[in-house]
């Protein structure tokens, strides 16, 4: 797997931080201002590291829930580290 860019990860984690408890954020590269490849790489990387309370990946479309504790820690680490 390719390593995602720090900025792509921060963008996805920041967007997911605003998601309500039971909601899912459908990741759209155009809305997030990312390339499709960058978004997919970062989303897969973050999902594998359990950064979201829940997620869905179907037909090449990603949707993520709010941040898990791991996701909050990773966002803090990327933004401040």
């Amino acid at each position: 797997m390719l390593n995602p860019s720090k900025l792509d990860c921060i963008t996805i984690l920041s967007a997911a931080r605003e998601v309500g408890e039971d909601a899912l954020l459908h990741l759209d590269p155009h809305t997030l201002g990312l390339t499709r490849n960058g978004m997919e790489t970062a989303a897969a990387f973050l999902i594998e590291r359990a950064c979201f309370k829940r997620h869905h990946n179907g037909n090449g479309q990603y949707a993520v829930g709010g941040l898990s504790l791991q996701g909050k820690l990773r966002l803090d680490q990327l933004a401040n580290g």
Side-chain angles (χ1 to χ4, degrees):
M1 173 193 270
L2 299 173
N3 290 326
S5 81
K6 181 177 176 179
L7 183 60
D8 292 350
C9 289
I10 290 171
T11 301
I12 292 172
L13 290 170
S14 295
R17 179 178 55 192
E18 304 301 322
V19 173
E21 283 297 315
D22 295 327
L24 282 175
L25 170 68
H26 296 279
L27 299 180
D28 177 25
H30 300 292
T31 303
L32 294 171
L34 305 173
T35 64
R36 179 172 258 331
N37 188 41
M39 186 210 65
E40 289 178 354
T41 301
F45 177 85
L46 295 169
I47 288 169
E48 286 180 359
R49 282 148 186 83
C51 291
F52 308 104
K53 291 181 181 174
R54 50 191 216 143
H55 68 277
H56 177 71
N57 178 13
N59 298 329
Q61 303 261 333
Y62 288 95
V64 297
L67 295 181
S68 65
L69 179 58
Q70 176 66 24
K72 291 175 185 175
L73 293 172
R74 185 160 303 266
L75 177 58
D76 184 57
Q77 176 188 34
L78 290 170
N80 299 318

